[in-house]
Amino acid sequence: MVEDRRLAVLRAIVEDYVRTEEPVGSRALVERHRLGVSPATVRNDMAALEDEGLIAQPHTSAGRVPTDKGYRMFVDRLTTLKPMSSAERRAISNFLDGAVDLDDVVQRSVRLLSQLTRQVAVVQYPTLSSSTVRHVELVTLTPTRLLVVLILSSGRVEQRVVELAEPGTGGSDVADVEATVADLRPRLLAAVIGKRIAEAAAALADLPAEVREEDRTLAQRVAEALGDAMSDHHADERIAVGGTANLARYGDSFDSAVRPLLEALEEHVVLLKLIGEASTGGAVTVRIGAEGPYHELSSTSVVATGYGPAEAPASLGIVGPTRMDYPGTMVAVRSVARYVSRILDDA
Amino acid sequence: MVEDRRLAVLRAIVEDYVRTEEPVGSRALVERHRLGVSPATVRNDMAALEDEGLIAQPHTSAGRVPTDKGYRMFVDRLTTLKPMSSAERRAISNFLDGAVDLDDVVQRSVRLLSQLTRQVAVVQYPTLSSSTVRHVELVTLTPTRLLVVLILSSGRVEQRVVELAEPGTGGSDVADVEATVADLRPRLLAAVIGKRIAEAAAALADLPAEVREEDRTLAQRVAEALGDAMSDHHADERIAVGGTANLARYGDSFDSAVRPLLEALEEHVVLLKLIGEASTGGAVTVRIGAEGPYHELSSTSVVATGYGPAEAPASLGIVGPTRMDYPGTMVAVRSVARYVSRILDDA
DNA sequence: ATTGGCACTCGGCACGCAGGAGTGCCAGAG
DNA sequence: CTCTGGCACTCCTGCGTGCCGAGTGCCAAT
């Protein structure tokens, strides 16, 4: 089939261009890949591919370069993901198994991913909307200040400081506060322990009504702080970034590509959207160049996937130039996601 | 004094070069700065400054550029730090006062600092060796797993998971564990509450001997986990980095300067050393180019200072090219450090 | 459908040249 | 002793020129 050969030519162009970073011409192509046809034939194919918008030439009489559309075709139809070698799998698990802590898992993942792909890696902390309240602790710091600690089933801990008295309202007594806290603690625990965040937050609303009137303000404030910690935790989803040193390899096209990327890397909300939108379901998603929502990032691609429990997945992935090794990157992203998911299941 | 004029020339060269990023010649100098002498005189002074190693020319018959030694002289003898305008002060306090949390204070500081200086900002989390143990909480997660939470007076929370049984040793009973924990808890609290980290860690060593023999293993493990959390917290001092997008302004000298810097920014230990060594005492410290311990960072400077309580200061500062606005940067670093210190005192 | 041949295009590089910024030095004035 | 104007020299920079080669597009032949 002539159509098949054309795709083979596209694949060859993508592969060579990714390796050499230079426009690839017809002669070099038949030399490196055993296409079994002459350069002239390849030229005809190239002309056809260019008509379809899959490749382009930077200027007349230069080699061809894949367009975004060309990469898209390559990723969709020409990529077969090979599993990693067993040595690689072992390296991955060795690297991740040392983690002691949720934070540590995320840190290691981001590091690993950036090293495997030589790109900038981004890992979202697991979303915990489905986690339950393991424990709540009230600690009096000073007569007017209470520390509220929220411990979730995921092992995550959130804390808030509650101010009990407005400045100038006159101080309350330590003993008073202790007594109030002692009264409040069991009710609080009964109201939230074991519940999911959303339910616990709802239960908190009723709490102030249950306590003695003189303790109501305090209960109110504690409930607010806890509710804040819960929703805050839910919304302000954190992410970790690593491997920014790989940006130095961008070489040319610097101001146009790296600056906006560096800016995006500090805007965690943007990043989250970037890798989050991409990854629904178990498959690895690839977004190429201007397919994304951010105009400034039109020369970068995102390779991402979800991980963690199916009911509350988090995202993880890499950001890099459109000119990247898609198959290798996709395999790396997929593998890391699988391993991290497994580790989270065990924990 | 002729010596005075020479220094004025050096100052002018530094100022102009920092602004224009181009070697500055004698004519341009007398035009922009009211030196009251002719270019020829300035040339003589330049020759002298060059003999002293304070300035250099990139090639014959180009303007002069300050050397590291020149910057050093400029910083040591030619810089008078002006306080910030009241508008700036207000902007700073507005920005930082919104913080709710220790983490938030650090995040905001790093952001603020990078925006003020247009450099890469680095802020070390406050060192807490002098903080005391506010509370310890033991939570049973599963029959074989215990969550240990350490709450420090600074409001910082550390957590560790303790495995109670080796796989295959046969499970213990939930009730058993609860009973043991109930026995252990008051002793544990008595042993550590209110103490400084170092003292508390020492007290932990005696704990296992006090409990019933059958609970000794558990007590042992809990003590280990707590000790680990304390020392780990002390050693693994965390830092926050921000403003990496400012690296895009480096423009030239890219691979030589930005790559190693990006790498250093991911090596938090290196960073810590970088800004940590610099800042002893209340003053702002400047390390210029190769004065630092890292050869690869010989074209970058560090401006840093300590902040927080005098008995356990943390560091904060910026990293940037040797060609930077030292006075402005130093003022910004100093101001932010002061504000952060004040906020920490209040909290 | 494929291929070899051929004319054509255009970027990249070396070369040479002129312009200009900047220096170093020297002799003279204050 | 210090400052200044003048002058010759250096060397970077930009520009125009011309050549080379890679690569293309097209066409006629198989």
Side-chain angles (χ1 to χ4, degrees), chain A residues 141 155 159 243-244 254 266-267, chain B residues 111 134 155 159 243-244 254 266:
Chain A
L141 295 180
Q159 44 175 320
T244 40
F254 198 73
E266 299 214 335
E267 288 299 329
Chain B
R111 237 185 148 100
R134 180 77 68 185
Q159 43 175 320
T244 40
F254 198 73
E266 299 213 336

Side-chain angles (χ1 to χ4, degrees), chain A residues 100-101 103 111 114 118 134-135 137-142 145 147 149 151-153 155-157 159-161 238 241-249 251 254-255 258-259 262-263 265-267 346-347, chain B residues 100-101 103 111 114 118 134-135 137-142 145 147 149 151-153 155-157 159-161 238 241-249 251 254-255 258-259 262-263 265-267 346-347:
Chain A
V100 295
D101 188 292
D103 276 37
R111 237 183 147 100
S114 67
R118 301 180 53 90
R134 180 78 70 186
H135 195 70
E137 186 57 37
L138 303 176
V139 186
T140 48
L141 295 180
T142 71
R145 210 172 255 167
L147 177 66
V149 181
I151 303 174
L152 300 174
S153 59
R156 191 129 209 94
V157 176
Q159 44 175 320
R160 285 293 182 286
V161 174
R238 298 196 305 147
V241 176
T244 40
N246 292 321
L247 289 177
R249 292 186 302 115
F254 198 73
D255 251 31
V258 173
R259 154 117 36 151
L262 276 171
E263 278 164 9
L265 289 178
E266 299 214 335
E267 288 299 329
D346 288 354
Chain B
V100 296
D101 190 293
D103 276 36
R111 237 185 148 100
S114 67
R118 302 181 53 91
R134 180 77 68 185
H135 196 69
E137 187 57 37
L138 302 177
V139 186
T140 48
L141 296 179
T142 72
R145 212 172 253 167
L147 179 65
V149 181
I151 303 174
L152 300 175
S153 59
R156 190 129 212 95
V157 176
Q159 43 175 320
R160 286 291 182 286
V161 173
R238 299 196 304 147
V241 176
T244 40
N246 291 322
L247 290 178
R249 291 185 303 113
F254 198 73
D255 251 31
V258 174
R259 155 119 32 151
L262 277 171
E263 279 165 7
L265 290 177
E266 299 213 336
E267 288 299 329
D346 288 354

Side-chain angles (χ1 to χ4, degrees), chain A residues 140-192:
Chain A
T140 48
L141 295 180
T142 71
T144 64
R145 210 172 255 167
L146 202 58
L147 177 66
V148 182
V149 181
L150 170 68
I151 303 174
L152 300 174
S153 59
S154 57
R156 191 129 209 94
V157 176
E158 287 283 326
Q159 44 175 320
R160 285 293 182 286
V161 174
V162 178
E163 298 285 344
L164 300 181
E166 312 300 337
T169 323
S172 27
D173 193 354
V174 187
D176 269 6
V177 175
E178 277 300 345
T180 308
V181 168
D183 178 52
L184 183 58
R185 187 177 284 127
R187 300 177 192 274
L188 186 57
L189 294 186
V192 299

Side-chain angles (χ1 to χ4, degrees), chain A residues 68-321:
Chain A
D68 287 1
K69 195 176 167 192
Y71 284 124
R72 166 57 54 202
M73 172 75 83
F74 176 77
V75 168
D76 288 347
R77 305 207 22 208
L78 302 172
T79 299
T80 51
L81 299 187
K82 287 171 297 189
M84 308 196 94
S85 74
S86 68
E88 287 171 308
R89 304 186 88 87
R90 233 175 301 124
I92 294 179
S93 58
N94 278 346
F95 195 92
L96 290 182
D97 284 346
V100 295
D101 188 292
L102 180 65
D103 276 37
D104 203 20
V105 170
V106 172
Q107 307 280 15
R108 282 169 184 254
S109 304
V110 92
R111 237 183 147 100
L112 176 63
L113 199 50
S114 67
Q115 284 171 12
L116 285 174
T117 61
R118 301 180 53 90
Q119 306 286 1
V120 179
V122 181
V123 176
Q124 177 187 8
Y125 279 72
T127 49
L128 299 172
S129 58
S130 73
S131 58
T132 56
V133 176
R134 180 78 70 186
H135 195 70
V136 171
E137 186 57 37
L138 303 176
V139 186
T140 48
L141 295 180
T142 71
T144 64
R145 210 172 255 167
L146 202 58
L147 177 66
V148 182
V149 181
L150 170 68
I151 303 174
L152 300 174
S153 59
S154 57
R156 191 129 209 94
V157 176
E158 287 283 326
Q159 44 175 320
R160 285 293 182 286
V161 174
V162 178
E163 298 285 344
L164 300 181
E166 312 300 337
T169 323
S172 27
D173 193 354
V174 187
D176 269 6
V177 175
E178 277 300 345
T180 308
V181 168
D183 178 52
L184 183 58
R185 187 177 284 127
R187 300 177 192 274
L188 186 57
L189 294 186
V192 299
I193 293 283
K195 293 191 180 163
R196 292 178 161 225
I197 288 187
E199 301 155 7
L204 280 175
D206 303 331
L207 190 66
E210 293 180 18
V211 299
R212 291 174 305 189
E213 180 161 352
E214 63 265 39
D215 298 340
R216 203 151 290 163
T217 323
L218 190 151
Q220 180 73 37
R221 297 228 171 124
V222 169
E224 275 170 15
L226 267 179
D228 181 53
M230 289 171 179
S231 67
D232 192 41
H233 183 63
H234 183 49
D236 150 32
E237 297 175 341
R238 298 196 305 147
I239 60 181
V241 176
T244 40
N246 292 321
L247 289 177
R249 292 186 302 115
Y250 269 46
D252 73 337
S253 73
F254 198 73
D255 251 31
S256 57
V258 173
R259 154 117 36 151
L261 187 45
L262 276 171
E263 278 164 9
L265 289 178
E266 299 214 335
E267 288 299 329
H268 287 188
V269 184
V270 171
L271 260 193
L272 213 46
K273 190 165 177 190
L274 218 49
I275 66 164
E277 274 192 6
S279 60
T280 58
V284 174
T285 314
V286 179
R287 184 175 324 161
I288 295 164
E291 293 172 10
Y294 298 103
H295 187 56
E296 305 80 18
L297 298 179
S298 62
S299 57
T300 59
S301 289
V302 176
V303 178
T305 188
Y307 75 96
E311 67 275 13
S315 302
L316 122 192
I318 64 93
V319 183

Side-chain angles (χ1 to χ4, degrees), chain B residues 65-98:
Chain B
V65 162
T67 61
D68 287 1
K69 194 176 166 191
Y71 285 124
R72 166 57 54 202
M73 172 76 83
F74 176 77
V75 169
D76 287 348
R77 305 206 21 206
L78 302 171
T79 299
T80 51
L81 299 187
K82 287 171 297 188
M84 308 197 96
S85 73
S86 68
E88 286 171 308
R89 304 186 86 88
R90 233 177 300 124
I92 293 179
S93 58
N94 279 346
F95 195 93
L96 289 182
D97 283 346

